[in-house]
C-alpha cells in the first residue's frame, strides 16, 4: 500500500446524520507533521474550507502541536532544575509497626508506631 493509498483510507468517507463528510481525524496529525504527500494535504485543506468542524479540529491540533514545540524548546530555569535534582536525590523510608494487646476487661488496644528516615544522596 502506497503512502497516498494509506492517506486516502485514513480520510475515507463516513456517514453522519447530516450526510457524507470527510473524516480527517485519522490523517490530520500526519498532515500537520509533513508525513503525507503534498497533494493529500492540499486536498484536506480544501476540505476544511467547506467543513467548519474539520477546520476547527485542524486549527486546534495545529495550535496544540505548536504549543508543544515551543514548550519543549524552552529550558527550565536553573533554580527549578536544582530543586528537581535535590528532590530526586532525597530518599524517604517510613517503617510502620503495629502491636495489639488485650486488656484484663477483654478490650483490645492496637498501637501503631511509624519511623521516618530521610536521606539525601550527594550530588552526582
Amino acid at each position: 500500500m502506497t503512502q497516498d493509498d494509506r492517506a486516502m483510507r485514513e480520510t475515507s468517507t463516513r456517514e453522519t446524520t447530516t450526510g457524507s463528510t470527510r473524516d480527517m481525524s485519522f490523517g490530520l496529525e500526519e498532515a500537520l507533521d509533513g508525513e503525507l504527500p503534498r497533494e493529500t494535504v492540499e486536498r484536506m485543506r480544501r476540505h476544511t474550507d467547506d467543513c467548519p468542524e474539520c477546520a476547527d479540529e485542524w486549527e486546534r491540533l495545529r495550535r496544540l502541536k505548536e504549543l508543544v514545540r515551543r514548550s519543549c524548546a524552552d529550558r527550565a530555569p536553573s533554580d527549578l532544575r536544582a530543586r528537581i535534582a535535590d528532590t530526586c536525590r532525597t530518599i524517604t523510608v517510613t517503617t510502620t509497626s503495629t502491636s495489639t494487646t488485650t486488656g484484663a476487661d477483654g478490650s483490645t488496644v492496637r498501637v501503631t508506631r511509624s519511623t521516618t528516615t530521610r536521606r539525601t544522596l550527594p550530588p552526582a
Side-chain angles (χ1 to χ4, degrees):
M1 176 184 300
T2 68
Q3 192 174 23
D4 197 48
D5 292 338
R6 190 184 87 197
M8 288 294 289
R9 189 178 74 188
E10 290 174 341
T11 58
S12 64
T13 303
R14 69 177 169 156
E15 290 297 315
T16 66
T17 56
T18 59
S20 180
T21 64
R22 302 295 266 169
D23 183 1
M24 292 188 6
S25 61
F26 293 106
L28 188 54
E29 287 193 53
E30 290 84 358
L32 289 169
D33 290 339
E35 297 173 357
L36 295 179
R38 181 180 296 146
E39 302 80 29
T40 302
V41 176
E42 288 173 5
R43 188 174 65 249
M44 293 171 78
R45 287 299 298 166
R46 282 192 306 271
H47 170 75
T48 63
D49 292 339
D50 298 326
C51 181
E53 181 182 330
C54 290
D56 288 346
E57 182 64 15
W58 180 284
E59 185 60 18
R60 183 194 67 78
L61 189 57
R62 186 195 66 75
R63 286 182 181 191
L64 178 64
K65 286 183 166 290
E66 179 59 30
L67 178 63
V68 169
R69 274 190 210 100
R70 279 197 325 257
S71 297
C72 292
D74 294 340
R75 189 166 184 188
S78 59
D79 62 326
L80 174 60
R81 289 194 319 269
R83 285 193 329 243
I84 291 170
D86 287 342
T87 300
C88 291
R89 287 194 316 266
T90 302
I91 299 170
T92 303
V93 177
T94 302
T95 305
T96 304
S97 63
T98 303
S99 61
T100 305
T101 58
T102 304
D105 61 354
S107 62
T108 303
V109 177
R110 182 173 288 150
V111 177
T112 302
R113 291 189 177 97
S114 294
T115 305
T116 300
T117 306
R118 179 172 290 182
R119 173 185 255 172
T120 301
L121 303 173

